[in-house]
Amino acid sequence: MYPLSLTLKGFRGIRDGLGLDVLTLDLERLAGDAELVALSGANGRGKSTILDNLQPFQTLPSRASLAGPGGFSYYDHVVLPESEKDLVWLHEGRRFRSQIVIRNNGRRATDAFLFEADAEGRWRPVVLPDGTLSDGKTGTYNRCVEHLLGSAETFFTSAFSAQGKRQLSAYQNSEIKTLLADLLGQEHIRNEGKKAAQVVDLLKAGLVAMRQQQASLDEQLLRLQDEYQSLGDTGTRIATQARARVEALRVQEAAHTHLARQQAVFEQARGLEARRTQLNGERSALIGTGKQVIEVIADQAQAQRQRLVRLEQRIAHRKAQRSAQLQTLDRQRRQCDTVLLGEAAVRRAGRRLSLAESVAARRAERLQSARHQVQELSRCTAAWESARQCLKAIEREAGQAALRAEDLARRFGLAREVPCAGTDLQGRCKLLGDAREAQGLMPSAQEAIRRLSADKADVQRQLSEHETQRRALTQAPQVLAHAERREAIARDRATRNGRLAARMGEIQQTLTRRNDIERELAALTQAGSQDGETDEEHAERLDIRATLKALEAQHEQQAKHYRQGLDRLDEALAALPPAFDGRVLSEAERTLAAAQAAFAEAERAHLQAVRDAERRTALDRQLRDRKRERADAAARIAQVEAQLGNWSLLVKCLGNDGLIALAIDDAGPALAGLANDLLLASYGPRFTVSLLTQVENRKGEQREGFVIEVHDGESGQSKRVEQMSGGERIWVNECLVRAVALYLSQNSGRCYGTLFSDEVDGALDPARKRMFMAMKREVLRLGGYAREIFISQTPELTSMADAVINLDAWGPPTMKASAPPAEPEYQGA
């Protein structure tokens, strides 16, 4: 994989670091054929953002929690509603284009396209051999990229050293074996293991269902057994319930005979009860009629009282309404008086408005003139500083030219001192030839000195002119500050007068409104003096009182009349003999009902005993069926458990601790050898690395694992890489990572073409940093890589690169006075 050009739009790192919404890098032109390319610039310039985007995977590795696309989201790193990443890259002689569009305008969405250039240079969507088309979906884009470049985990582990990246020593056993399995091309074994694992999962799921079925059968057996035991001896129960039913039938017939006798006695007393009922009915009717008449009189009296209350409310409401109107008008008059307090100021502002606006306009013109002088002072200062720099450069060049002229004169003077001059050896004498060459170069050196002298005089004249202009404009900033203060005062005065003058219409309306309020107050005050009860209201009050007295007299008369009628009916009821005791008849009815219920219960219990006998027979048949089904389920479970053990063993054999572990054991020495070659070529013979895939636990037993052990040639001791110092650990880790990349390119045929690293050398001392650059070139040579793009905050390492892309040239205006160039500044090594 070889990046050719990159365009970023709307990325937060570029906006914050360079102040740009769009950045385009043409790496073909900026770096050319350089092998080591450095991205330089101050902290926060966006270097890591650019480096993270120089690869086609959908992630920024320095900001991702995982190596693959699943541990990263673009939405936190873009600032525009629609941001875009456009990367053109070369792979195996084919030109590709990755275009990722991130929409963050309320509804988040990401479109990712992968194109390939055809023979005519037109971009067409990538189509995989299985028919997968890059259609803009992130899932299909990831599948297309991984088909071309392999897994993201392998790429970011071997070819991309991002900031904060975990070292290989921090990888878990499963992680490092997954990575090495990909390097060794063992993916087909892992796929077979995944298929076996799927079979294990299916067997486990089926086994769970079978065990659930077995548990259900056990529960059914237990329930059926409990129910069978609870039914007991049904034959004895049937005989007992039959005897109880016969006894209940005898008691029911006796109760029925007693009720018949009591009903005959009740028929004889029904005549007296009819007269008693008639008198009670007349008494109830008289009471109801009396209540109705008295209620009507009471309702009429209540209506008259409510009429009196409404009369009082009308009088009170009229008085309250007039009082509220007086308060409202008084409040409005006070508001008008408050507005009229500023009448004098408003009239004065109206008279002075035109004068204030004229003064503000003249002071604005003076301010513009002062600003023009300050701009002219800035231009003169910049020209003066440029002339000073040019004068210094001419003086340096003149000094070098003078030294060269002196050297040529010295060399030419040797022509008179060489002993072979005028002899046969002068044609072969190198000193004499050098002197003659110096003779030919002396006129050009003298001409350069004269030219530089003329240039110096011209620059000194320009410097004097700029100095004169600067002195004439020295007071321009103070004049500008004074003009700005006076202009602000005049503008504020004109604005204040304008706001006050605009209130003239409000003052006029307020005067008119106050006069109207005074007239309304006078009218209400005159009407208030006549408040009181009107003649109609007084007549209505007298009529209500007379009606209430008449209703009270009518109420007393009706109450006396109905009381006399009730007394006559009570005397007639008292003369009748006592009534028949209905409790005897009721008790007989209750006794019969209880006997009937007892008979029904006995009959129901007998019927239930018969049903229980039938149920016991059915339960015995169900128990035999469930026991047979449980035996069949146990046999099936035993068969599935046997197959599950076989398939589980196959999964382990095809996993990281099986065939893949054996392949890693074979590849470990080769990886360690590549890492040791890099250490020897760049660091020296002190450290030697070995990879151990079998580690010893606390019990002294060997188990599967992964340990990086480093032998120190100076101390003669071996230790794990985690126990080394920070700088040494970084050095060994980078050699191992690059050894992984070399192994990948040599054994699997997968070579990415370009390596990336971001500030990996931070913990190294100056000497080790220079050796670190030697290691980078050795990796490029051994692996056949075309280029490494790196970031370093060490200027010495940046200067050792073949090409440098300097992002400081794109700094924000506060750090750079002139406009930024069309592209970042770069330089060859």
Side-chain angles (χ1 to χ4, degrees):
M1 196 283 294
Y2 190 84
L4 301 176
S5 67
L6 173 67
T7 298
L8 298 178
K9 174 185 176 183
F11 276 74
R12 188 181 302 278
I14 304 301
R15 166 77 71 84
D16 296 343
L18 301 177
L20 301 175
D21 287 336
V22 181
L23 172 69
T24 299
L25 292 179
D26 186 356
L27 295 178
E28 289 185 288
R29 189 182 69 80
L30 291 176
D33 297 331
E35 291 185 347
L36 288 179
V37 179
L39 291 175
S40 69
N43 289 331
R45 277 283 182 263
K47 302 186 295 298
S48 294
T49 300
I50 294 174
L51 188 70
D52 286 349
N53 281 287
L54 286 176
Q55 46 79 28
F57 291 98
Q58 284 195 90
T59 183
L60 300 183
S62 65
R63 295 167 173 83
S65 59
L66 299 175
F72 173 78
S73 174
Y74 275 113
Y75 301 113
D76 296 333
H77 304 283
V78 295
V79 294
L80 295 180
E82 182 173 303
S83 304
E84 182 178 352
K85 169 188 173 180
D86 196 330
L87 174 67
V88 179
W89 47 287
L90 195 67
H91 182 63
E92 296 180 350
R94 300 157 63 189
R95 187 181 291 261
F96 296 93
R97 179 183 180 186
S98 296
Q99 189 175 24
I100 301 175
V101 181
I102 307 103
R103 297 180 177 86
N104 194 10
N105 51 0
R107 180 184 177 186
R108 293 181 171 182
T110 301
D111 296 331
F113 300 91
L114 183 62
F115 303 100
E116 182 180 359
D118 57 13
E120 299 178 0
R122 293 176 297 184
W123 295 110
R124 298 186 181 277
V126 170
V127 182
L128 299 184
D130 61 357
T132 300
L133 173 68
S134 179
D135 55 359
K137 298 179 181 178
T138 57
T140 55
Y141 175 86
N142 292 334
R143 288 200 294 273
C144 292
V145 173
E146 290 184 356
H147 174 79
L148 296 171
L149 302 181
S151 67
E153 291 80 0
T154 301
F155 175 79
F156 289 111
T157 301
S158 60
F160 202 111
S161 296
Q163 285 192 37
K165 173 185 175 183
R166 284 195 305 164
Q167 298 184 358
L168 288 179
S169 59
Y171 276 48
Q172 299 294 329
N173 181 35
S174 60
E175 295 176 315
I176 195 66
K177 288 187 176 179
T178 301
L179 172 64
L180 295 178
D182 183 57
L183 295 178
L184 298 174
Q186 302 295 321
E187 190 62 27
H188 64 286
I189 297 179
R190 292 179 61 83
N191 291 335
E192 294 299 327
K194 290 179 181 178
K195 294 178 182 177
Q198 292 176 356
V199 174
V200 170
D201 292 339
L202 292 175
L203 288 175
K204 287 180 178 179
L207 186 60
V208 169
M210 291 179 182
R211 286 174 175 168
Q212 289 177 349
Q213 181 183 6
Q214 186 182 32
S216 177
L217 290 173
D218 292 339
E219 182 180 352
Q220 291 179 23
L221 278 172
L222 182 61
R223 180 178 56 79
L224 291 174
Q225 289 174 353
D226 292 343
E227 188 176 355
Y228 185 83
Q229 295 295 334
S230 65
L231 291 176
D233 188 359
T234 54
T236 304
R237 286 173 54 201
I238 289 175
T240 302
Q241 294 300 329
R243 290 193 298 271
R245 178 176 177 277
V246 171
E247 179 64 21
L249 178 61
R250 185 189 63 79
V251 173
Q252 178 183 347
E253 290 175 352
H256 192 273
T257 302
H258 177 67
L259 177 62
R261 286 197 297 268
Q262 294 298 326
Q263 286 178 344
V265 174
F266 174 72
E267 289 295 336
Q268 296 175 1
R270 289 183 62 183
L272 293 174
E273 291 300 321
R275 176 58 180 167
R276 194 188 310 277
T277 302
Q278 179 183 0
L279 292 175
N280 286 329
E282 292 177 0
R283 187 176 186 279
S284 299
L286 182 62
I287 292 173
T289 303
K291 286 183 178 180
Q292 291 179 357
V293 172
I294 292 173
E295 287 177 357
V296 169
I297 295 172
D299 291 340
Q300 292 177 356
Q302 181 64 26
Q304 293 300 322
R305 295 189 190 95
Q306 292 177 353
R307 182 182 172 191
L308 181 61
V309 170
R310 288 195 296 271
L311 175 62
E312 297 291 347
Q313 289 177 348
R314 285 200 305 271
I315 297 172
H317 177 70
R318 185 173 64 250
K319 294 180 179 180
Q321 186 175 15
R322 183 175 293 108
S323 176
Q325 289 178 351
L326 287 173
Q327 292 177 0
T328 301
L329 291 174
D330 184 65
R331 184 174 62 256
Q332 292 177 356
R333 180 174 60 182
R334 290 196 301 272
Q335 292 174 353
C336 292
D337 293 339
T338 302
V339 173
L340 292 175
L341 289 176
E343 179 182 4
V346 170
R347 295 185 182 279
R348 181 175 178 273
R351 294 191 300 270
R352 297 179 60 84
L353 178 60
S354 59
L355 177 60
E357 290 177 345
S358 175
V359 172
R362 288 197 299 272
R363 291 185 178 175
E365 292 175 357
R366 293 177 185 174
L367 176 61
Q368 187 65 28
S369 175
R371 285 175 178 168
H372 179 72
Q373 289 181 358
V374 171
Q375 293 173 357
E376 186 65 21
L377 175 60
S378 298
R379 186 191 63 77
C380 291
T381 302
W384 177 78
E385 184 63 28
S386 176
R388 284 183 64 240
Q389 297 297 330
C390 183
L391 181 60
K392 291 180 180 179
I394 290 173
E395 289 176 349
R396 287 195 299 270
E397 187 176 357
Q400 293 174 358
L403 291 175
R404 178 171 176 78
E406 291 178 1
D407 181 62
L408 291 174
R410 180 185 59 77
R411 288 163 57 189
F412 177 70
L414 292 175
R416 296 187 295 273
E417 300 176 4
V418 174
C420 60
T423 66
D424 295 337
L425 297 176
Q426 66 179 3
R428 291 176 292 172
C429 181
K430 293 183 179 180
L431 290 176
L432 189 59
D434 186 47
R436 290 175 178 173
E437 182 183 357
Q439 182 182 7
L441 295 175
M442 285 181 61
S444 62
Q446 295 296 331
E447 178 61 26
I449 292 174
R450 287 193 296 273
R451 178 179 55 79
L452 291 172
S453 177
D455 292 345
K456 179 178 180 182
D458 185 39
V459 172
Q460 286 177 338
R461 179 183 55 78
Q462 295 178 7
L463 188 63
S464 177
E465 292 177 356
H466 293 321
E467 180 64 25
T468 302
Q469 294 177 358
R470 285 180 63 220
R471 291 177 179 174
L473 297 172
T474 302
Q475 299 300 322
Q478 291 80 0
V479 173
L480 175 61
H482 181 69
E484 287 177 344
R485 288 195 301 272
R486 292 180 62 82
E487 191 272 340
I489 293 172
R491 185 176 65 253
D492 182 64
R493 184 185 298 114
T495 302
R496 193 165 55 251
N497 288 333
R499 286 198 298 265
L500 288 174
R503 294 182 56 196
M504 181 57 70
E506 180 186 0
I507 295 296
Q508 295 295 337
Q509 293 177 358
T510 303
L511 287 172
T512 303
R513 176 58 182 158
R514 193 180 186 284
N515 294 332
D516 295 340
I517 290 171
E518 291 291 344
R519 287 193 296 271
E520 292 179 9
L521 282 172
L524 285 175
T525 302
Q526 182 178 1
S529 60
Q530 301 175 1
D531 279 349
E533 190 177 81
T534 62
D535 296 339
E536 292 82 359
E537 292 170 344
H538 181 69
E540 184 178 0
R541 185 187 300 276
L542 295 178
D543 180 63
I544 292 171
R545 291 175 179 174
T547 304
L548 286 173
K549 290 181 180 180
L551 290 172
E552 290 177 0
Q554 186 177 1
H555 180 273
E556 293 177 358
Q557 182 181 359
Q558 291 294 331
K560 182 178 179 181
H561 169 72
Y562 287 111
R563 182 70 263 173
Q564 293 174 353
L566 286 174
D567 292 341
R568 288 194 302 271
L569 290 174
D570 289 339
E571 291 175 357
L573 286 171
L576 291 175
F580 175 76
D581 190 0
R583 289 179 296 178
V584 176
L585 182 61
S586 299
E587 181 65 26
E589 291 175 348
R590 286 195 295 272
T591 302
L592 177 61
Q596 290 174 344
F599 175 74
E601 178 63 23
E603 192 171 14
R604 185 197 63 76
H606 179 264
L607 182 60
Q608 184 63 39
V610 174
R611 290 175 179 172
D612 288 346
E614 296 174 352
R615 175 62 179 164
R616 198 167 188 270
T617 303
L619 287 174
D620 184 63
R621 184 173 57 255
Q622 291 178 10
L623 280 171
R624 292 194 298 271
D625 294 341
R626 296 298 177 272
K627 289 179 180 178
R628 185 176 60 256
E629 291 176 2
R630 187 182 183 283
D632 295 340
R636 290 196 302 272
I637 289 174
Q639 183 180 5
V640 172
E641 287 176 343
Q643 292 295 327
L644 180 61
N646 296 334
W647 282 99
S648 298
L649 180 60
L650 180 60
V651 170
K652 186 174 182 180
C653 293
L654 297 177
N656 287 338
D657 297 333
L659 295 176
I660 293 177
L662 295 177
I664 292 173
D665 289 341
D666 294 338
L671 281 172
L674 290 173
N676 291 330
D677 290 342
L678 292 177
L679 283 170
L680 180 62
S682 56
Y683 196 88
R686 178 181 176 183
F687 294 124
T688 305
V689 176
S690 61
L691 305 180
L692 305 179
T693 57
Q694 294 287 328
V695 296
E696 187 175 294
N697 58 16
R698 294 180 179 179
K699 297 180 180 180
E701 300 173 351
Q702 296 291 326
R703 63 175 178 84
E704 291 292 333
F706 183 80
V707 173
I708 303 171
E709 192 171 79
V710 181
H711 178 73
D712 191 343
E714 292 183 359
S715 63
Q717 296 180 354
S718 298
K719 54 185 176 182
R720 293 188 178 185
V721 69
E722 297 91 341
Q723 299 171 349
M724 303 179 70
S725 67
E728 292 172 344
R729 187 164 61 248
I730 288 177
W731 193 277
V732 172
N733 182 75
E734 287 305 307
C735 287
L736 280 171
V737 169
R738 294 316 183 199
V740 170
L742 292 176
Y743 188 90
L744 183 66
S745 64
Q746 294 174 5
N747 293 275
S748 68
R750 184 185 299 162
C751 183
Y752 296 112
T754 304
L755 301 178
F756 306 85
S757 60
D758 189 356
E759 297 187 16
V760 182
D761 59 322
L764 302 178
D765 57 50
R768 296 290 185 264
K769 288 185 178 182
R770 289 189 290 272
M771 296 167 66
F772 192 67
M773 293 297 291
M775 188 267 286
K776 290 181 180 292
R777 294 191 182 276
E778 183 69 12
V779 172
L780 296 179
R781 184 186 67 80
L782 292 176
Y785 294 102
R787 172 176 297 167
E788 178 173 351
I789 303 174
F790 70 94
I791 297 174
S792 176
Q793 293 298 340
T794 305
E796 292 80 359
L797 296 190
T798 302
S799 64
M800 293 173 67
D802 300 328
V804 178
I805 300 176
N806 184 11
L807 296 181
D808 281 336
W810 281 53
T814 56
M815 298 184 62
K816 185 173 179 64
S818 60
E823 290 184 348
E825 186 179 295
Y826 69 95
Q827 60 190 31

